[in-house]
mmCIF file of all heavy atoms in Angstrom:
data_model
loop_
_atom_site.group_PDB
_atom_site.id
_atom_site.type_symbol
_atom_site.label_atom_id
_atom_site.label_comp_id
_atom_site.label_asym_id
_atom_site.label_seq_id
_atom_site.Cartn_x
_atom_site.Cartn_y
_atom_site.Cartn_z
ATOM 1 N N PRO A 1065 6.315 9.432 -1.343
ATOM 2 C CA PRO A 1065 6.199 7.911 -1.132
ATOM 3 C C PRO A 1065 4.884 7.546 -0.511
ATOM 4 O O PRO A 1065 4.222 6.533 -0.883
ATOM 5 C CB PRO A 1065 7.391 7.567 -0.272
ATOM 6 C CG PRO A 1065 8.340 8.721 -0.461
ATOM 7 C CD PRO A 1065 7.542 9.914 -0.747
ATOM 8 N N PHE A 1066 4.428 8.287 0.462
ATOM 9 C CA PHE A 1066 3.149 8.037 1.174
ATOM 10 C C PHE A 1066 1.992 8.098 0.195
ATOM 11 O O PHE A 1066 1.167 7.189 0.131
ATOM 12 C CB PHE A 1066 2.984 9.016 2.303
ATOM 13 C CG PHE A 1066 1.637 8.947 2.984
ATOM 14 C CD1 PHE A 1066 1.400 7.940 3.895
ATOM 15 C CD2 PHE A 1066 0.649 9.784 2.724
ATOM 16 C CE1 PHE A 1066 0.076 7.804 4.534
ATOM 17 C CE2 PHE A 1066 -0.628 9.731 3.310
ATOM 18 C CZ PHE A 1066 -0.860 8.732 4.168
ATOM 19 N N ILE A 1067 1.993 9.187 -0.600
ATOM 20 C CA ILE A 1067 0.893 9.371 -1.574
ATOM 21 C C ILE A 1067 0.826 8.211 -2.561
ATOM 22 O O ILE A 1067 -0.244 7.626 -2.892
ATOM 23 C CB ILE A 1067 1.032 10.700 -2.306
ATOM 24 C CG1 ILE A 1067 0.804 11.880 -1.360
ATOM 25 C CG2 ILE A 1067 0.137 10.838 -3.524
ATOM 26 C CD1 ILE A 1067 1.272 13.208 -1.813
ATOM 27 N N PHE A 1068 2.026 7.791 -3.046
ATOM 28 C CA PHE A 1068 2.056 6.724 -4.017
ATOM 29 C C PHE A 1068 1.726 5.382 -3.398
ATOM 30 O O PHE A 1068 0.996 4.526 -4.040
ATOM 31 C CB PHE A 1068 3.392 6.652 -4.751
ATOM 32 C CG PHE A 1068 3.551 7.682 -5.829
ATOM 33 C CD1 PHE A 1068 4.408 8.687 -5.741
ATOM 34 C CD2 PHE A 1068 2.723 7.645 -6.962
ATOM 35 C CE1 PHE A 1068 4.558 9.690 -6.731
ATOM 36 C CE2 PHE A 1068 2.813 8.580 -7.995
ATOM 37 C CZ PHE A 1068 3.692 9.622 -7.895
ATOM 38 N N PHE A 1069 2.148 5.135 -2.138
ATOM 39 C CA PHE A 1069 1.776 3.883 -1.530
ATOM 40 C C PHE A 1069 0.271 3.793 -1.288
ATOM 41 O O PHE A 1069 -0.327 2.772 -1.589
ATOM 42 C CB PHE A 1069 2.492 3.756 -0.149
ATOM 43 C CG PHE A 1069 3.934 3.345 -0.253
ATOM 44 C CD1 PHE A 1069 4.836 3.703 0.773
ATOM 45 C CD2 PHE A 1069 4.465 2.650 -1.300
ATOM 46 C CE1 PHE A 1069 6.147 3.362 0.749
ATOM 47 C CE2 PHE A 1069 5.792 2.247 -1.392
ATOM 48 C CZ PHE A 1069 6.641 2.628 -0.301
ATOM 49 N N VAL A 1070 -0.345 4.854 -0.807
ATOM 50 C CA VAL A 1070 -1.757 4.815 -0.569
ATOM 51 C C VAL A 1070 -2.580 4.675 -1.887
ATOM 52 O O VAL A 1070 -3.436 3.837 -1.961
ATOM 53 C CB VAL A 1070 -2.245 6.146 0.195
ATOM 54 C CG1 VAL A 1070 -3.763 6.263 0.225
ATOM 55 C CG2 VAL A 1070 -1.664 6.131 1.593
ATOM 56 N N THR A 1071 -2.105 5.411 -2.894
ATOM 57 C CA THR A 1071 -2.806 5.302 -4.192
ATOM 58 C C THR A 1071 -2.628 3.922 -4.735
ATOM 59 O O THR A 1071 -3.587 3.278 -5.205
ATOM 60 C CB THR A 1071 -2.211 6.329 -5.212
ATOM 61 O OG1 THR A 1071 -2.377 7.649 -4.620
ATOM 62 C CG2 THR A 1071 -2.801 6.234 -6.530
ATOM 63 N N GLY A 1072 -1.425 3.359 -4.601
ATOM 64 C CA GLY A 1072 -1.181 2.010 -5.102
ATOM 65 C C GLY A 1072 -1.990 0.916 -4.432
ATOM 66 O O GLY A 1072 -2.475 0.018 -5.057
ATOM 67 N N ILE A 1073 -2.084 1.073 -3.105
ATOM 68 C CA ILE A 1073 -2.869 0.089 -2.336
ATOM 69 C C ILE A 1073 -4.346 0.119 -2.834
ATOM 70 O O ILE A 1073 -4.989 -0.879 -3.115
ATOM 71 C CB ILE A 1073 -2.806 0.378 -0.797
ATOM 72 C CG1 ILE A 1073 -1.428 -0.066 -0.275
ATOM 73 C CG2 ILE A 1073 -3.904 -0.489 -0.113
ATOM 74 C CD1 ILE A 1073 -1.192 0.331 1.151
ATOM 75 N N ILE A 1074 -4.856 1.366 -2.957
ATOM 76 C CA ILE A 1074 -6.272 1.489 -3.291
ATOM 77 C C ILE A 1074 -6.527 0.912 -4.707
ATOM 78 O O ILE A 1074 -7.463 0.204 -4.939
ATOM 79 C CB ILE A 1074 -6.727 2.932 -3.175
ATOM 80 C CG1 ILE A 1074 -6.784 3.338 -1.684
ATOM 81 C CG2 ILE A 1074 -8.107 3.185 -3.875
ATOM 82 C CD1 ILE A 1074 -6.945 4.848 -1.434
ATOM 83 N N VAL A 1075 -5.630 1.272 -5.654
ATOM 84 C CA VAL A 1075 -5.853 0.894 -7.024
ATOM 85 C C VAL A 1075 -5.443 -0.542 -7.274
ATOM 86 O O VAL A 1075 -6.218 -1.367 -7.800
ATOM 87 C CB VAL A 1075 -5.158 1.817 -8.030
ATOM 88 C CG1 VAL A 1075 -5.289 1.349 -9.507
ATOM 89 C CG2 VAL A 1075 -5.623 3.253 -7.892
ATOM 90 N N PHE A 1076 -4.215 -0.927 -6.866
ATOM 91 C CA PHE A 1076 -3.766 -2.303 -7.096
ATOM 92 C C PHE A 1076 -4.582 -3.316 -6.328
ATOM 93 O O PHE A 1076 -5.223 -4.175 -6.905
ATOM 94 C CB PHE A 1076 -2.223 -2.415 -6.744
ATOM 95 C CG PHE A 1076 -1.659 -3.772 -7.033
ATOM 96 C CD1 PHE A 1076 -1.163 -4.043 -8.303
ATOM 97 C CD2 PHE A 1076 -1.611 -4.762 -6.053
ATOM 98 C CE1 PHE A 1076 -0.643 -5.293 -8.550
ATOM 99 C CE2 PHE A 1076 -1.022 -6.025 -6.355
ATOM 100 C CZ PHE A 1076 -0.560 -6.287 -7.584
ATOM 101 N N SER A 1077 -4.532 -3.171 -4.986
ATOM 102 C CA SER A 1077 -5.301 -4.196 -4.131
ATOM 103 C C SER A 1077 -6.805 -4.075 -4.395
ATOM 104 O O SER A 1077 -7.517 -5.044 -4.455
ATOM 105 C CB SER A 1077 -4.944 -4.006 -2.767
ATOM 106 O OG SER A 1077 -3.594 -4.412 -2.476
#
Side-chain angles (χ1 to χ4, degrees):
F1066 174 78
I1067 292 166
F1068 282 115
F1069 283 154
V1070 169
T1071 302
I1073 288 171
I1074 291 168
V1075 176
F1076 184 85
S1077 292

